[in-house]
Amino acid sequence: MHDTLIDPATLARHLGEPGWVVLDLRHDLADPDDWGRFQYRRGHVPGARFVHLDHDLSAPKTGRNGRHPMPSPEAAAALFGRCGIDASTQVVCYDQGGGTMAARAWWMLRWLGHRAVAVLDGGYVRWTREGHPVTTEVPSPAPRDFRAGAPLPTADANEVRASLDARSLAIIDARPAERFRGEVEPMDPVAGHIPGARNRPCTLNLLPDATFKDAATLKAEYDALLAGVPLDRVVHQCGSGVTACHNLLAMAVAGYPMTRLYPGSWSEWVADGTRPVATGAA
């Protein structure tokens, strides 16, 4: 079973096996409707099903629940069933490179109790660079009965806000440092961060070639970041609950048990003007 990362050579050996399903999560936040679909039509891993971040992995937006609201467990289970996934399936998720989009699907499957899911380390760029096959053929998967387990616990805005005075949660923000500090904000109407949050840009999980750092390096880095905080107090967030999943994946690679996600993240937090906002590095 592969439950964190998988390399292209290993995936290539299993292409076409009935117990394996590959999901293509390529997506561009600056061109959310068309870019991923266009890339998929140009070429993809043979047998891969295209899954859209906005249309498949997110619930409808209300204006107060963030940019990529988490779908209900029932809706997510129905999606994965349509993709041909059941309890016996090994799932592999990939995006263009570093795994920031693929990690969202990885986390959602883990959230619903499906352990056999991994992210393609280095993504489609590494897959093609290493000479593995691509196709433009679109598969027609036979639906399967995906039975969700009890969802993993998450955090919500009320719990995060209630924790601020006592700093009872260790909130890990996966956004770039300049967004965390409030110097720029390209996606959301308010710049800054949740007071007391710690910044761990998800790009720090990667080497220059967009593959993950080794487990020992990630363990040392997250040990230093958390500084002994009990893991049940760790909550991950980002702009909209997507790239935070990359930090959850990195911690899993490092050998940590699953910690919690705040799915609404910054875009939900700032939708309520009464919630406090901090700026600067600390």
Side-chain angles (χ1 to χ4, degrees):
M1 179 180 67
H2 303 272
D3 61 0
T4 54
L5 300 173
I6 189 169
D7 63 87
T10 301
L11 174 58
R13 290 196 296 270
H14 292 280
L15 282 182
E17 292 185 9
W20 287 63
V21 166
V22 182
L23 304 181
D24 185 316
L25 282 303
R26 283 178 287 179
H27 187 82
D28 185 349
L29 293 173
D31 186 10
D33 290 331
D34 298 326
W35 186 85
R37 295 186 192 279
F38 175 73
Q39 297 300 325
Y40 180 79
R41 289 193 297 267
R42 289 181 61 191
H44 51 265
V45 173
R49 292 81 156 143
F50 181 73
V51 177
H52 196 282
L53 173 63
D54 291 333
H55 303 152
D56 298 318
L57 297 183
S58 302
K61 292 182 283 190
T62 66
R64 299 184 66 82
N65 60 352
R67 286 184 281 108
H68 295 107
M70 194 61 61
S72 69
E74 295 78 12
L79 165 71
F80 295 136
R82 291 193 300 272
C83 290
I85 300 168
D86 65 14
S88 67
T89 306
Q90 173 66 60
V91 185
V92 176
C93 308
Y94 72 87
D95 55 29
Q96 187 69 0
T100 53
M101 301 300 162
R104 166 76 169 225
W106 172 86
W107 181 85
M108 285 179 61
L109 281 156
R110 292 291 299 270
W111 172 55
L112 297 182
H114 192 86
R115 186 68 184 262
V117 53
V119 168
L120 182 63
D121 196 16
Y124 191 72
V125 168
R126 182 183 176 193
W127 177 266
T128 55
R129 183 175 69 238
E130 294 184 0
H132 298 293
V134 300
T135 185
T136 58
E137 182 179 350
V138 177
S140 299
R144 294 191 180 183
D145 183 15
F146 183 92
R147 298 189 179 185
L152 293 176
T154 59
D156 62 20
N158 290 334
E159 182 187 2
V160 171
R161 184 165 187 168
S163 76
L164 296 185
D165 288 343
R167 296 290 192 263
S168 57
L169 295 177
I171 302 166
I172 310 302
D173 189 327
R175 295 176 301 158
E178 62 271 20
R179 288 183 69 190
F180 179 85
R181 294 191 298 263
E183 296 166 2
V184 297
E185 183 44 69
M187 304 298 297
D188 295 307
V190 179
H193 60 265
I194 297 172
R198 310 173 190 200
N199 190 208
R200 167 73 183 190
C202 66
T203 52
L204 295 180
N205 300 323
L206 301 175
L207 297 169
D209 66 354
T211 61
F212 275 74
K213 296 175 179 176
D214 65 83
T217 299
L218 289 170
K219 181 68 163 57
E221 292 177 359
Y222 278 93
D223 280 350
L225 176 70
L226 299 176
V229 171
L231 294 179
D232 62 358
R233 291 174 48 199
V234 175
V235 170
H236 295 269
Q237 55 98 183
C238 55
S240 64
V242 175
T243 58
C245 297
H246 201 270
N247 281 353
L248 280 151
L249 173 58
M251 287 186 65
V253 171
Y256 289 95
M258 291 290 280
T259 45
R260 288 194 293 158
L261 175 69
Y262 167 29
S265 286
W266 183 247
S267 55
E268 179 187 66
W269 185 261
V270 298
D272 182 341
T274 70
R275 294 180 185 134
V277 169
T279 56

